[in-house]
Amino acid sequence: MRQVRKEILPGVYLTCLQTDKFKNGLLSVNLLTRLTRDDAAPNALIPSVLRRGTRRYGDMDALAAKLDSLYGARLEPLVRKLGEIQAIGFWADFVDEKFLPGSSSGLLEEVAGLLGEVLLNPNTRGGLLLPQYVESEKEKLLEDIRARVNDKVSYSRLRLIELMCAAEDYAADALGTEESAEGIGYVALSKRYKALLASSPIEIFYCGSADADRVENALTDALITLPRGELDPDLGTDIRMNTVEAGTRYYTEEMEVTQGKLVIGFRLGECMEDPDIPAIRVMNTVFGGGVSSKLFMNVREKLSLCYCASSGVDLMKGLMLVSSGIEPENYETALAEIFRQLDAVREGDITDEELATAKLTLMSRLQGISDSAGELEGFWLSQNVLGLEYGPDELAALAEDVTKEQVSAAARSVVCDMVYFMTAEEAAYEED
């Protein structure tokens, strides 16, 4: 794969990954803005409203017909959280031209043009987004926000983040809150949309067989009318090295669950001042990032204290979260064992086999990224936000060289900030 990154318009950056590996090409456009509690929901709503229709293709049926004419291309809204940055936009998936007749050349340009049209030329009245489109998509957004509670595993992590990072923008979810979503009106949303077009840095990703110059030309033409103003100078993520309080905070919440959800929030600590990212990733994999990790093998398999146990790191915010499904009576024992396994990593109690297996697990995941255009898009968006230039294969090579001492050093930097436990309501215990 040949990767090229270039600024093609003011504040508009294109990452082009030229490859013959995939049958479909992928193109995404992401507007980056600060993640805040008040603006997250309006920002998240904008791509769905824009996807309802353009000046030329006034509704979803007309847009669908156009996409069908482009050999069944797809174009969908995107809303993501990257540390304390919110990324909104679109991704397009379309047949790579190398699999089409020669007369079909130009599909890339047509898809890029349609994506630009959806972003820049929505169906409006008097320069305002159509109120019926805004209200319809707002109801869908509210449904999505309310439905988050139905997945108790992901909701428990969301609650831990809300509570642990209450004074930080990171506490906000990518979709925003129900309260802020309910207050969205079409006039204010129209103003917000125009402000984002002018002030947001834009990250574009292309993966396919076309060469970088052609991709650049197609996207420059598609976005030539993009309004540009002063870009947001404060865009970024604040990383807290220490815990909010002197000791670990504990929070228990009762909900309708059949199994307790234990989530532990750690700050990665001083290692984030100059992060050794391969070492941090290997450390997480040794500790809880796979079925051969210390958490899985000891807390789940050996001691049977939980139904699942895993950890993950957010390198943009400098956090590590441990998630586990447990019975309430196992809470104290499971919690103590999780901390004991982290202490073992800190002290270098890591066998050669554990280290080698962790590296193989991590390298396998990175290979999986290289085998998927969608995974590559997410990977490179994160890398660009972090200011990193290496791809999955290079990261795998760096991880292979990580030593046991580097893993232990990364673990010694980690500090526990909050323990969150979602447990069944007391009445549910009595019924059982």
Side-chain angles (χ1 to χ4, degrees):
M1 296 185 185
R2 180 171 177 265
Q3 185 259 341
V4 177
R5 176 170 164 79
K6 185 178 180 181
E7 185 176 15
I8 61 172
L9 290 168
V12 180
Y13 300 89
L14 168 65
T15 298
C16 183
L17 198 62
Q18 187 178 7
T19 177
D20 293 325
K21 192 171 186 177
F22 306 110
K23 292 183 178 180
N24 280 19
L26 186 146
L27 185 62
S28 72
V29 174
N30 298 274
L31 280 66
L32 306 184
T33 186
R34 281 181 283 179
L35 177 71
T36 68
R37 291 171 177 81
D38 292 337
D39 293 333
N43 294 344
L45 184 61
I46 287 170
S48 297
V49 173
L50 299 182
R51 179 61 177 78
R52 289 295 297 267
T54 71
R55 291 177 190 171
R56 186 162 38 160
Y57 307 104
D59 55 28
M60 294 183 75
D61 289 339
L63 264 177
K66 176 59 179 176
L67 288 165
D68 284 342
S69 75
L70 300 177
Y71 296 91
R74 295 181 295 166
L75 194 158
E76 298 297 335
L78 276 175
V79 179
R80 286 176 282 190
K81 173 179 173 176
L82 305 166
E84 293 175 347
I85 295 173
Q86 189 179 22
I88 66 168
F90 304 93
W91 65 266
D93 177 84
F94 51 97
V95 179
D96 197 290
E97 289 178 14
K98 68 179 182 290
F99 293 101
L100 296 174
S103 59
S104 301
S105 62
L107 180 60
L108 167 64
E109 285 77 8
E110 288 204 62
V111 171
L114 183 60
L115 195 155
E117 187 170 348
V118 170
L119 178 64
L120 301 177
N121 297 296
N123 190 356
T124 59
R125 183 182 300 120
L128 300 173
L129 298 170
L130 299 185
Q132 62 269 33
Y133 287 177
V134 172
E135 288 302 311
S136 175
E137 295 303 322
K138 182 172 77 173
E139 289 306 310
K140 294 176 185 176
L141 175 63
L142 282 166
E143 289 176 7
D144 289 341
I145 292 172
R146 292 165 183 153
R148 293 180 302 196
V149 72
N150 296 333
D151 184 342
K152 295 299 190 294
V153 174
S154 61
Y155 189 68
S156 63
R157 288 193 288 263
L158 174 64
R159 288 293 294 142
L160 177 278
I161 290 170
E162 287 178 337
L163 293 163
M164 187 175 83
C165 305
E168 302 161 76
D169 289 334
Y170 192 76
D173 182 67
L175 297 182
T177 65
E178 184 176 349
E179 180 182 8
S180 60
E182 286 175 339
I184 297 173
Y186 76 98
V187 175
L189 192 68
S190 300
K191 294 178 180 178
R192 182 66 188 159
Y193 157 64
K194 293 174 183 177
L196 283 178
L197 285 183
S199 65
S200 298
I202 297 178
E203 288 286 345
I204 303 175
F205 177 84
Y206 168 78
C207 181
S209 63
D211 64 68
D213 289 341
R214 181 183 168 196
V215 177
E216 178 184 349
N217 291 335
L219 288 161
T220 301
D221 290 344
L223 301 175
I224 196 65
T225 61
L226 175 71
R228 295 272 82 182
E230 183 178 353
L231 301 185
D232 187 347
D234 298 323
L235 194 62
T237 299
D238 290 330
I239 297 177
R240 186 184 181 97
M241 304 294 177
N242 59 329
T243 58
V244 173
E245 296 181 5
T248 301
R249 295 173 288 165
Y250 294 83
Y251 193 95
T252 298
E253 190 166 38
E254 293 182 351
M255 297 192 70
E256 291 185 10
V257 291
T258 56
Q259 177 193 107
K261 312 299 178 189
L262 174 63
V263 190
I264 309 172
F266 296 88
R267 306 280 178 172
L268 288 176
E270 294 180 358
C271 71
M272 290 304 296
E273 291 181 357
D274 185 18
D276 182 344
I277 288 177
I280 294 172
R281 286 186 176 273
V282 175
M283 179 274 293
N284 174 70
T285 311
V286 168
F287 173 54
V291 294
S292 298
S293 68
K294 284 185 173 291
L295 287 186
F296 190 90
M297 296 303 296
N298 291 279
V299 184
R300 182 186 185 279
E301 293 292 288
K302 183 178 178 181
L303 300 176
S304 300
L305 292 172
C306 61
Y307 298 95
C308 58
S310 63
S311 66
V313 291
D314 184 339
L315 291 167
M316 293 186 189
K317 182 61 179 173
L319 298 181
M320 181 172 73
L321 301 186
V322 171
S323 298
S324 180
I326 63 172
E327 296 298 338
E329 60 267 24
N330 290 334
Y331 170 81
E332 295 288 349
T333 308
L335 185 60
E337 185 62 23
I338 289 170
F339 285 131
R340 193 179 78 81
Q341 294 304 323
L342 180 57
D343 285 339
V345 180
R346 288 169 171 154
E347 294 164 6
D349 183 9
I350 306 165
T351 67
D352 292 341
E353 182 180 359
E354 285 175 328
L355 183 61
T357 302
K359 290 180 180 180
L360 286 174
T361 299
L362 180 56
M363 287 187 281
S364 176
R365 287 179 185 154
L366 293 170
Q367 181 60 55
I369 291 174
S370 296
D371 291 339
S372 166
E375 292 288 333
L376 282 167
E377 188 270 347
F379 177 88
W380 279 110
L381 179 60
S382 296
Q383 291 292 90
N384 292 337
V385 170
L386 287 167
L388 302 174
E389 299 180 359
Y390 49 79
D393 294 341
E394 291 86 355
L395 179 54
L398 292 168
E400 193 170 10
D401 293 333
V402 170
T403 66
K404 189 184 301 184
E405 290 71 24
Q406 288 175 291
V407 170
S408 296
R412 286 194 295 272
S413 174
V414 173
V415 288
C416 183
D417 195 334
M418 177 174 281
V419 174
Y420 170 85
F421 187 46
M422 180 188 291
T423 187
E425 296 175 354
E426 206 168 306
Y429 291 132
E430 294 172 358
E431 291 172 7
D432 291 342

